[in-house]
Amino acid sequence: MSDAELTVEVTGPVATVVIHNPARRNAMTAAMWRQLPELLDRLEPDPGVRAVVLTGAGDAFCAGADLGDLAELLDAGDASIAVAAEERLASFAKPTVAAIRGACVGGGAQLAVACDLRVAADDARFGVPPARLGLVYPAPTTRRLSRLVGPSAAKHLLFTAELIDAERALRIGLVDEVLPGDRLAARVDDLTATIAQRSPLSVAAAKEIIDDRAGPARIAWWHRKVTTTGEAREGVAAIVERRQPRFAWRAPADG
């Protein structure tokens, strides 16, 4: 393993992507920003992967973008490799969960907010620091943060660049759950196992609709799939027979 890279481990139906750059509290280098979409492109069509966990190695999630690559990111603006990685993570067709310990700052917060769900250890700390550096946060990132926590909380994070603790992050909706650090891994395992047992069709449709990526024609397509794939019949049969459902639908490779 190199000192700065993303690694992937697939255990059953869950793929875990680990941000690994211990010398810089898992800061994302340019190579890592470029690597993330490539990893997601490989994981998305894998029928065995039902959910993805994004986490950091050791005691930090991600301390942001590596400052050594800052000039490249600034020159590109909203067309930067960081925004491209964030957008690819946000558009990933399967559920994504950020498992957060320690620092989740700047680019780390950017990645966490692009996930569907965020579960944090009670030692997690969150911050959005562009105002400390005289930078303009990317427009897609700013809008995504505002949709998640609301305009007022987003402005507080962006205007002050203050770090907030996990409990405050929970109150404003930045994270979904906060647990003692020694329970984080088990909770993420339980959460992703539950998601993996649910209908992939139901989950994929819900994600598209919630993220406002499904127009009327696509929504009609999803409703047709309910009847043509047999997912609903299997779900009802499993309840009647008091067993776990055996959902067989898989997303087509072309989406």
PDB file of all heavy atoms in Angstrom, residues 87-113:
ATOM      1  N   GLU A  87     -19.384  14.669  -7.419  1.00  0.00           N
ATOM      2  CA  GLU A  87     -20.566  14.445  -8.244  1.00  0.00           C
ATOM      3  C   GLU A  87     -20.721  12.970  -8.601  1.00  0.00           C
ATOM      4  O   GLU A  87     -21.837  12.443  -8.633  1.00  0.00           O
ATOM      5  CB  GLU A  87     -20.490  15.297  -9.512  1.00  0.00           C
ATOM      6  CG  GLU A  87     -20.612  16.793  -9.265  1.00  0.00           C
ATOM      7  CD  GLU A  87     -21.955  17.166  -8.675  1.00  0.00           C
ATOM      8  OE1 GLU A  87     -22.993  16.934  -9.308  1.00  0.00           O
ATOM      9  OE2 GLU A  87     -21.967  17.676  -7.534  1.00  0.00           O
ATOM     10  N   ARG A  88     -19.607  12.297  -8.851  1.00  0.00           N
ATOM     11  CA  ARG A  88     -19.705  10.853  -9.156  1.00  0.00           C
ATOM     12  C   ARG A  88     -20.184  10.079  -7.939  1.00  0.00           C
ATOM     13  O   ARG A  88     -20.989   9.135  -8.064  1.00  0.00           O
ATOM     14  CB  ARG A  88     -18.334  10.319  -9.615  1.00  0.00           C
ATOM     15  CG  ARG A  88     -18.363   8.826  -9.988  1.00  0.00           C
ATOM     16  CD  ARG A  88     -19.261   8.607 -11.195  1.00  0.00           C
ATOM     17  NE  ARG A  88     -19.453   7.201 -11.508  1.00  0.00           N
ATOM     18  CZ  ARG A  88     -20.478   6.460 -11.090  1.00  0.00           C
ATOM     19  NH1 ARG A  88     -21.397   7.021 -10.281  1.00  0.00           N
ATOM     20  NH2 ARG A  88     -20.604   5.202 -11.437  1.00  0.00           N
ATOM     21  N   LEU A  89     -19.718  10.446  -6.758  1.00  0.00           N
ATOM     22  CA  LEU A  89     -20.172   9.790  -5.535  1.00  0.00           C
ATOM     23  C   LEU A  89     -21.660  10.045  -5.321  1.00  0.00           C
ATOM     24  O   LEU A  89     -22.425   9.133  -4.985  1.00  0.00           O
ATOM     25  CB  LEU A  89     -19.362  10.304  -4.350  1.00  0.00           C
ATOM     26  CG  LEU A  89     -19.690   9.747  -2.972  1.00  0.00           C
ATOM     27  CD1 LEU A  89     -19.535   8.228  -2.934  1.00  0.00           C
ATOM     28  CD2 LEU A  89     -18.791  10.402  -1.923  1.00  0.00           C
ATOM     29  N   ALA A  90     -22.097  11.282  -5.530  1.00  0.00           N
ATOM     30  CA  ALA A  90     -23.506  11.618  -5.331  1.00  0.00           C
ATOM     31  C   ALA A  90     -24.408  10.891  -6.321  1.00  0.00           C
ATOM     32  O   ALA A  90     -25.560  10.576  -5.996  1.00  0.00           O
ATOM     33  CB  ALA A  90     -23.703  13.124  -5.450  1.00  0.00           C
ATOM     34  N   SER A  91     -23.924  10.633  -7.521  1.00  0.00           N
ATOM     35  CA  SER A  91     -24.743   9.987  -8.548  1.00  0.00           C
ATOM     36  C   SER A  91     -24.624   8.477  -8.551  1.00  0.00           C
ATOM     37  O   SER A  91     -25.274   7.806  -9.357  1.00  0.00           O
ATOM     38  CB  SER A  91     -24.358  10.522  -9.935  1.00  0.00           C
ATOM     39  OG  SER A  91     -23.055  10.099 -10.294  1.00  0.00           O
ATOM     40  N   PHE A  92     -23.817   7.923  -7.658  1.00  0.00           N
ATOM     41  CA  PHE A  92     -23.647   6.468  -7.593  1.00  0.00           C
ATOM     42  C   PHE A  92     -25.016   5.822  -7.388  1.00  0.00           C
ATOM     43  O   PHE A  92     -25.802   6.248  -6.542  1.00  0.00           O
ATOM     44  CB  PHE A  92     -22.713   6.114  -6.440  1.00  0.00           C
ATOM     45  CG  PHE A  92     -22.271   4.678  -6.418  1.00  0.00           C
ATOM     46  CD1 PHE A  92     -21.353   4.208  -7.328  1.00  0.00           C
ATOM     47  CD2 PHE A  92     -22.774   3.802  -5.466  1.00  0.00           C
ATOM     48  CE1 PHE A  92     -20.929   2.883  -7.302  1.00  0.00           C
ATOM     49  CE2 PHE A  92     -22.366   2.485  -5.425  1.00  0.00           C
ATOM     50  CZ  PHE A  92     -21.438   2.023  -6.346  1.00  0.00           C
ATOM     51  N   ALA A  93     -25.318   4.799  -8.169  1.00  0.00           N
ATOM     52  CA  ALA A  93     -26.685   4.281  -8.226  1.00  0.00           C
ATOM     53  C   ALA A  93     -27.103   3.497  -6.986  1.00  0.00           C
ATOM     54  O   ALA A  93     -28.296   3.296  -6.761  1.00  0.00           O
ATOM     55  CB  ALA A  93     -26.849   3.403  -9.470  1.00  0.00           C
ATOM     56  N   LYS A  94     -26.143   3.064  -6.190  1.00  0.00           N
ATOM     57  CA  LYS A  94     -26.461   2.243  -5.021  1.00  0.00           C
ATOM     58  C   LYS A  94     -26.253   3.057  -3.745  1.00  0.00           C
ATOM     59  O   LYS A  94     -25.565   4.082  -3.756  1.00  0.00           O
ATOM     60  CB  LYS A  94     -25.577   0.992  -5.031  1.00  0.00           C
ATOM     61  CG  LYS A  94     -25.818   0.131  -6.271  1.00  0.00           C
ATOM     62  CD  LYS A  94     -24.829  -1.012  -6.391  1.00  0.00           C
ATOM     63  CE  LYS A  94     -25.067  -1.791  -7.674  1.00  0.00           C
ATOM     64  NZ  LYS A  94     -24.120  -2.918  -7.844  1.00  0.00           N
ATOM     65  N   PRO A  95     -26.833   2.626  -2.631  1.00  0.00           N
ATOM     66  CA  PRO A  95     -26.712   3.398  -1.394  1.00  0.00           C
ATOM     67  C   PRO A  95     -25.264   3.550  -0.935  1.00  0.00           C
ATOM     68  O   PRO A  95     -24.461   2.614  -1.017  1.00  0.00           O
ATOM     69  CB  PRO A  95     -27.518   2.576  -0.384  1.00  0.00           C
ATOM     70  CG  PRO A  95     -28.476   1.788  -1.214  1.00  0.00           C
ATOM     71  CD  PRO A  95     -27.742   1.469  -2.483  1.00  0.00           C
ATOM     72  N   THR A  96     -24.953   4.731  -0.447  1.00  0.00           N
ATOM     73  CA  THR A  96     -23.621   5.032   0.070  1.00  0.00           C
ATOM     74  C   THR A  96     -23.734   5.537   1.507  1.00  0.00           C
ATOM     75  O   THR A  96     -24.622   6.315   1.834  1.00  0.00           O
ATOM     76  CB  THR A  96     -22.916   6.095  -0.788  1.00  0.00           C
ATOM     77  OG1 THR A  96     -23.760   7.246  -0.908  1.00  0.00           O
ATOM     78  CG2 THR A  96     -22.612   5.555  -2.186  1.00  0.00           C
ATOM     79  N   VAL A  97     -22.829   5.079   2.354  1.00  0.00           N
ATOM     80  CA  VAL A  97     -22.832   5.443   3.767  1.00  0.00           C
ATOM     81  C   VAL A  97     -21.441   5.930   4.140  1.00  0.00           C
ATOM     82  O   VAL A  97     -20.451   5.222   3.915  1.00  0.00           O
ATOM     83  CB  VAL A  97     -23.211   4.247   4.657  1.00  0.00           C
ATOM     84  CG1 VAL A  97     -23.187   4.646   6.132  1.00  0.00           C
ATOM     85  CG2 VAL A  97     -24.580   3.690   4.272  1.00  0.00           C
ATOM     86  N   ALA A  98     -21.349   7.129   4.703  1.00  0.00           N
ATOM     87  CA  ALA A  98     -20.083   7.621   5.238  1.00  0.00           C
ATOM     88  C   ALA A  98     -19.989   7.219   6.703  1.00  0.00           C
ATOM     89  O   ALA A  98     -20.890   7.524   7.493  1.00  0.00           O
ATOM     90  CB  ALA A  98     -19.996   9.140   5.102  1.00  0.00           C
ATOM     91  N   ALA A  99     -18.907   6.524   7.063  1.00  0.00           N
ATOM     92  CA  ALA A  99     -18.633   6.155   8.448  1.00  0.00           C
ATOM     93  C   ALA A  99     -17.505   7.059   8.934  1.00  0.00           C
ATOM     94  O   ALA A  99     -16.369   6.959   8.459  1.00  0.00           O
ATOM     95  CB  ALA A  99     -18.226   4.686   8.535  1.00  0.00           C
ATOM     96  N   ILE A 100     -17.836   7.957   9.883  1.00  0.00           N
ATOM     97  CA  ILE A 100     -16.974   9.104  10.157  1.00  0.00           C
ATOM     98  C   ILE A 100     -16.402   9.039  11.570  1.00  0.00           C
ATOM     99  O   ILE A 100     -17.138   8.971  12.554  1.00  0.00           O
ATOM    100  CB  ILE A 100     -17.768  10.409   9.984  1.00  0.00           C
ATOM    101  CG1 ILE A 100     -18.348  10.487   8.562  1.00  0.00           C
ATOM    102  CG2 ILE A 100     -16.882  11.619  10.265  1.00  0.00           C
ATOM    103  CD1 ILE A 100     -19.427  11.536   8.400  1.00  0.00           C
ATOM    104  N   ARG A 101     -15.072   9.112  11.641  1.00  0.00           N
ATOM    105  CA  ARG A 101     -14.358   9.294  12.904  1.00  0.00           C
ATOM    106  C   ARG A 101     -13.486  10.535  12.777  1.00  0.00           C
ATOM    107  O   ARG A 101     -12.996  10.857  11.705  1.00  0.00           O
ATOM    108  CB  ARG A 101     -13.438   8.101  13.200  1.00  0.00           C
ATOM    109  CG  ARG A 101     -14.116   6.771  13.372  1.00  0.00           C
ATOM    110  CD  ARG A 101     -13.068   5.695  13.616  1.00  0.00           C
ATOM    111  NE  ARG A 101     -13.643   4.365  13.654  1.00  0.00           N
ATOM    112  CZ  ARG A 101     -14.182   3.808  14.725  1.00  0.00           C
ATOM    113  NH1 ARG A 101     -14.205   4.494  15.860  1.00  0.00           N
ATOM    114  NH2 ARG A 101     -14.692   2.596  14.680  1.00  0.00           N
ATOM    115  N   GLY A 102     -13.261  11.207  13.866  1.00  0.00           N
ATOM    116  CA  GLY A 102     -12.297  12.288  13.881  1.00  0.00           C
ATOM    117  C   GLY A 102     -12.607  13.380  12.882  1.00  0.00           C
ATOM    118  O   GLY A 102     -13.757  13.773  12.682  1.00  0.00           O
ATOM    119  N   ALA A 103     -11.555  13.891  12.230  1.00  0.00           N
ATOM    120  CA  ALA A 103     -11.680  15.040  11.351  1.00  0.00           C
ATOM    121  C   ALA A 103     -12.471  14.711  10.093  1.00  0.00           C
ATOM    122  O   ALA A 103     -12.182  13.744   9.392  1.00  0.00           O
ATOM    123  CB  ALA A 103     -10.297  15.548  10.966  1.00  0.00           C
ATOM    124  N   CYS A 104     -13.469  15.539   9.824  1.00  0.00           N
ATOM    125  CA  CYS A 104     -14.252  15.484   8.579  1.00  0.00           C
ATOM    126  C   CYS A 104     -14.395  16.932   8.136  1.00  0.00           C
ATOM    127  O   CYS A 104     -15.385  17.592   8.426  1.00  0.00           O
ATOM    128  CB  CYS A 104     -15.606  14.819   8.822  1.00  0.00           C
ATOM    129  SG  CYS A 104     -16.629  14.684   7.346  1.00  0.00           S
ATOM    130  N   VAL A 105     -13.377  17.411   7.428  1.00  0.00           N
ATOM    131  CA  VAL A 105     -13.223  18.840   7.206  1.00  0.00           C
ATOM    132  C   VAL A 105     -12.994  19.105   5.718  1.00  0.00           C
ATOM    133  O   VAL A 105     -12.337  18.322   5.028  1.00  0.00           O
ATOM    134  CB  VAL A 105     -12.030  19.387   8.027  1.00  0.00           C
ATOM    135  CG1 VAL A 105     -11.835  20.875   7.787  1.00  0.00           C
ATOM    136  CG2 VAL A 105     -12.244  19.102   9.510  1.00  0.00           C
ATOM    137  N   GLY A 106     -13.524  20.222   5.228  1.00  0.00           N
ATOM    138  CA  GLY A 106     -13.253  20.633   3.856  1.00  0.00           C
ATOM    139  C   GLY A 106     -13.651  19.568   2.853  1.00  0.00           C
ATOM    140  O   GLY A 106     -14.827  19.212   2.743  1.00  0.00           O
ATOM    141  N   GLY A 107     -12.673  19.067   2.111  1.00  0.00           N
ATOM    142  CA  GLY A 107     -12.954  18.016   1.145  1.00  0.00           C
ATOM    143  C   GLY A 107     -13.520  16.765   1.769  1.00  0.00           C
ATOM    144  O   GLY A 107     -14.258  16.016   1.123  1.00  0.00           O
ATOM    145  N   GLY A 108     -13.197  16.515   3.040  1.00  0.00           N
ATOM    146  CA  GLY A 108     -13.793  15.378   3.739  1.00  0.00           C
ATOM    147  C   GLY A 108     -15.276  15.570   3.946  1.00  0.00           C
ATOM    148  O   GLY A 108     -16.079  14.662   3.716  1.00  0.00           O
ATOM    149  N   ALA A 109     -15.665  16.784   4.370  1.00  0.00           N
ATOM    150  CA  ALA A 109     -17.094  17.088   4.504  1.00  0.00           C
ATOM    151  C   ALA A 109     -17.782  17.036   3.143  1.00  0.00           C
ATOM    152  O   ALA A 109     -18.926  16.591   3.020  1.00  0.00           O
ATOM    153  CB  ALA A 109     -17.272  18.464   5.137  1.00  0.00           C
ATOM    154  N   GLN A 110     -17.080  17.495   2.123  1.00  0.00           N
ATOM    155  CA  GLN A 110     -17.598  17.450   0.761  1.00  0.00           C
ATOM    156  C   GLN A 110     -17.968  16.016   0.370  1.00  0.00           C
ATOM    157  O   GLN A 110     -19.049  15.761  -0.182  1.00  0.00           O
ATOM    158  CB  GLN A 110     -16.520  18.006  -0.175  1.00  0.00           C
ATOM    159  CG  GLN A 110     -16.901  18.195  -1.613  1.00  0.00           C
ATOM    160  CD  GLN A 110     -15.774  18.866  -2.403  1.00  0.00           C
ATOM    161  OE1 GLN A 110     -14.756  19.287  -1.844  1.00  0.00           O
ATOM    162  NE2 GLN A 110     -15.947  18.959  -3.695  1.00  0.00           N
ATOM    163  N   LEU A 111     -17.091  15.069   0.668  1.00  0.00           N
ATOM    164  CA  LEU A 111     -17.358  13.667   0.340  1.00  0.00           C
ATOM    165  C   LEU A 111     -18.468  13.098   1.220  1.00  0.00           C
ATOM    166  O   LEU A 111     -19.341  12.366   0.738  1.00  0.00           O
ATOM    167  CB  LEU A 111     -16.082  12.840   0.503  1.00  0.00           C
ATOM    168  CG  LEU A 111     -14.981  13.115  -0.511  1.00  0.00           C
ATOM    169  CD1 LEU A 111     -13.709  12.358  -0.136  1.00  0.00           C
ATOM    170  CD2 LEU A 111     -15.424  12.734  -1.918  1.00  0.00           C
ATOM    171  N   ALA A 112     -18.448  13.424   2.502  1.00  0.00           N
ATOM    172  CA  ALA A 112     -19.469  12.891   3.404  1.00  0.00           C
ATOM    173  C   ALA A 112     -20.859  13.360   3.000  1.00  0.00           C
ATOM    174  O   ALA A 112     -21.823  12.587   3.001  1.00  0.00           O
ATOM    175  CB  ALA A 112     -19.170  13.311   4.842  1.00  0.00           C
ATOM    176  N   VAL A 113     -20.986  14.638   2.638  1.00  0.00           N
ATOM    177  CA  VAL A 113     -22.283  15.184   2.253  1.00  0.00           C
ATOM    178  C   VAL A 113     -22.773  14.563   0.946  1.00  0.00           C
ATOM    179  O   VAL A 113     -23.985  14.439   0.723  1.00  0.00           O
ATOM    180  CB  VAL A 113     -22.202  16.722   2.158  1.00  0.00           C
ATOM    181  CG1 VAL A 113     -23.438  17.317   1.506  1.00  0.00           C
ATOM    182  CG2 VAL A 113     -22.011  17.318   3.554  1.00  0.00           C
TER     183      VAL A 113
END
